[in-house]
Amino acid sequence: MIIIFHLDFGSRERERIAQMADNSPEKKIKLDIPVLDELAQGIIGDEKGIKTVNLNAAQVNELMSQTVAQLLKSEQARQFGVNAKVSSAFKITENKGDFAGTVVIASPISATISVGCTLENDPVAKGKVRLAQPVRIEERPDGFKAGIALKAINLKKLAGEQLQDPTKAFGLILSDQLEQRGVQFIKMMVGFEDNQFRATVAGKPISK
């Protein structure tokens, strides 16, 4: 899995933009993934509130892209007025998942962070996925100011923490997406099977 962050921070407008970002409510993004609608409806319609769905590589990619985008909503990133565009791809081969993404943020100075990892089923903890090997992260700031900005925002640490437990990362994004579909996330089991990503999720309808 390779994630590349291309960062452009700063300018004399930075403080003003950061203040605007801090004063603006965070906008939740409802992903247009039909299988998530199926998941929510299945949980609501099941007596025990449990539903199993299979996600293909493209659908997992959308969830992973949103997970990466969450890194740019940290307090440090918001202070720099970070706005990002994420492009990515996810591939499932031999029941392992590889993700490659690029995050581009427009501002005057630039830097690149490369993150690499592969996801696989956890052979010990059933119903979880894990990193096949430690996350590989490389920072390449374009100039001194970019290096200072990277240290201040600390995306390297954030990316490492976010991806250290991929099951938790998937749980956070699924919880957010189900909430927007009227379901409270409780717990889940996930794993690669037949080169698809299978998720069994328990939840309950949100009382209005």
Side-chain angles (χ1 to χ4, degrees):
M1 165 169 154
I2 301 295
I3 307 172
I4 299 176
F5 298 84
H6 176 214
L7 309 177
D8 258 31
F9 302 110
S11 91
R12 64 186 64 182
E13 295 289 311
R14 188 177 67 195
E15 183 177 352
R16 181 182 64 81
I17 294 172
Q19 290 175 348
M20 290 173 62
D22 289 339
N23 293 331
S24 301
E26 183 177 319
K27 183 179 179 181
K28 289 183 176 292
I29 298 176
K30 184 177 180 180
L31 299 176
D32 184 17
I33 306 177
V35 72
L36 295 182
D37 299 327
E38 176 189 341
L39 178 60
Q41 292 165 8
I43 291 172
I44 293 172
D46 185 74
E47 183 179 351
K48 295 182 179 180
I50 299 174
K51 175 66 176 177
T52 298
V53 293
N54 292 320
L55 289 82
N56 59 32
Q59 293 164 336
V60 178
N61 179 52
E62 290 197 57
L63 296 180
M64 289 295 295
S65 294
Q66 189 63 15
T67 299
V68 172
Q70 293 297 321
L71 298 174
L72 301 164
K73 295 183 180 180
S74 68
E75 181 180 351
Q76 299 98 309
R78 286 172 61 84
Q79 287 176 352
F80 278 82
V82 171
N83 290 302
K85 181 177 181 181
V86 180
S87 60
S88 61
F90 190 84
K91 179 175 65 175
I92 302 175
T93 308
E94 297 181 350
N95 288 326
K96 290 186 178 182
D98 288 296
F99 176 80
T102 302
V103 179
V104 178
I105 304 168
S107 281
I109 60 175
S110 62
T112 300
I113 301 175
S114 298
V115 181
C117 70
T118 299
L119 308 182
E120 66 179 5
N121 293 332
D122 192 321
V124 177
K126 185 179 179 181
K128 292 186 176 183
V129 290
R130 68 175 188 178
L131 297 171
Q133 53 189 309
V135 181
R136 303 177 301 278
I137 304 174
E138 180 185 359
E139 291 185 330
R140 296 190 296 274
D142 184 9
F144 178 76
K145 290 183 178 180
I148 296 299
L150 283 178
K151 288 182 179 180
I153 297 175
N154 211 359
L155 283 177
K156 182 176 181 179
K157 179 182 178 182
L158 292 174
E161 292 176 348
Q162 184 88 337
L163 299 171
Q164 190 62 41
D165 186 345
T167 301
K168 181 179 179 180
F170 278 119
L172 289 172
I173 192 63
L174 280 177
S175 177
D176 175 70
Q177 291 300 311
L178 288 173
E179 181 182 347
Q180 296 184 67
R181 291 166 169 82
V183 173
Q184 179 183 335
F185 173 91
I186 296 177
K187 61 182 180 179
M188 71 176 187
M189 295 179 66
V190 294
F192 295 101
E193 186 173 335
D194 297 327
N195 283 329
Q196 294 190 92
F197 187 76
R198 176 165 293 180
T200 298
V201 183
K204 63 181 182 180
I206 296 175
S207 301
K208 295 182 179 180

